[in-house]
Amino acid sequence: MTRRVLIVEDEPEVADLYRGYLSGTYDVTVANTGAEALDLVDDATDAVLLDRRLPDTSGADVLAAIRERGLDCRVAMVTAVDPDFDIVEMGFDLYLVKPATRDDIQSAVERLGTRAQYDDTLQRTASLVTKRAVLEAERTPAELRSSPEYEDLLADIDSLQSKMEDLATAFSPDDYRMLFRDLGSSSTSESA
């Protein structure tokens, strides 16, 4: 089954470039406005590449609407906006700063596909760890130390990692073998 990707980008040349990077591998649709994106995104959408600055609304508002609808698609912000601490509250899975290369776009969609297979706790942890990495790459240590949002982010990551460690210690080696055997057989049967 071919995964569906929605590209939300107001610059037609950039949208066409991203479409070209993904066509042939994915079922790609392009929206040039937030309103158009919200008309197109649905339960069959697997991944969204979302610009933060759109002519009619912000990418953050589009993202919030997608999450409010309960859609289970994974979202990457692909934007020229340098990340600030406001990203901590956004429900995206990945954050790419433009210009994005072919490898960046293809890798992002692959990573989003992998993350779609995670359970909720693992998806949330991956999203928060991504936000931490983006902030640590873009902000000074002094800015990080003085940010309550960053401190809350670190606390949330620690809490989720503790939950995952508790779950991992509850599994015996036999449990892991059975889990991965079951995962392997279910993915084989789904692709058949």
Side-chain angles (χ1 to χ4, degrees), residues 3 40 95 110 112-113 123-124 144 191:
R3 287 185 291 177
L40 293 170
Y95 196 97
E110 288 171 21
L112 293 174
Q123 284 182 17
R124 175 119 172 91
L144 294 173
S191 62

Side-chain angles (χ1 to χ4, degrees), residues 2-176:
T2 303
R3 287 185 291 177
R4 287 187 52 203
V5 178
L6 174 61
I7 297 169
V8 186
E9 172 59 59
D10 63 321
E11 295 181 43
E13 308 81 30
V14 175
D16 287 343
L17 192 63
Y18 294 170
R19 182 196 316 253
Y21 293 163
L22 300 172
S23 291
T25 305
Y26 303 99
D27 177 8
V28 181
T29 306
V30 172
N32 299 118
T33 66
E36 188 180 0
L38 292 173
D39 285 342
L40 293 170
V41 68
D42 59 22
D43 288 329
T45 305
D46 296 301
V48 179
L49 301 179
L50 179 60
D51 192 358
R52 280 190 73 177
R53 290 187 183 147
L54 298 166
D56 60 336
T57 188
S58 73
D61 289 342
V62 173
L63 176 60
I66 289 170
R67 296 300 182 227
E68 286 170 12
R69 290 182 186 178
L71 298 173
D72 195 28
C73 56
R74 303 293 95 216
V75 179
M77 294 298 245
V78 185
T79 179
V81 177
D82 286 329
D84 203 348
F85 295 104
D86 64 337
I87 69 169
V88 171
E89 298 302 318
M90 293 182 192
F92 62 80
D93 298 282
L94 292 173
Y95 196 97
L96 299 176
V97 179
K98 290 178 182 175
T101 66
R102 175 186 300 272
D103 288 343
D104 293 336
I105 296 297
Q106 290 174 342
S107 175
V109 173
E110 288 171 21
R111 288 174 62 196
L112 293 174
T114 300
R115 287 188 181 183
Q117 297 172 18
Y118 295 172
D119 76 352
D120 290 341
T121 302
L122 196 50
Q123 284 182 17
R124 175 119 172 91
T125 303
S127 175
L128 294 178
V129 168
T130 295
K131 292 172 186 178
R132 180 184 65 194
V134 167
L135 289 172
E136 289 174 353
E138 299 292 329
R139 297 291 163 199
T140 67
E143 289 174 317
L144 294 173
R145 282 191 300 274
S146 67
S147 168
E149 296 92 347
Y150 181 74
E151 291 301 317
D152 290 345
L153 175 67
L154 294 179
D156 288 346
I157 291 170
D158 286 343
S159 173
L160 288 168
Q161 287 178 332
S162 292
K163 283 183 190 177
M164 289 191 307
E165 287 170 8
D166 291 346
L167 180 61
T169 58
F171 272 67
S172 71
D174 288 338
D175 289 333
Y176 278 111

Side-chain angles (χ1 to χ4, degrees), residues 176-187:
Y176 278 111
R177 280 192 288 279
M178 289 173 49
L179 172 67
F180 287 105
R181 184 197 69 217
D182 291 346
L183 286 174
S185 65
S186 69
S187 64

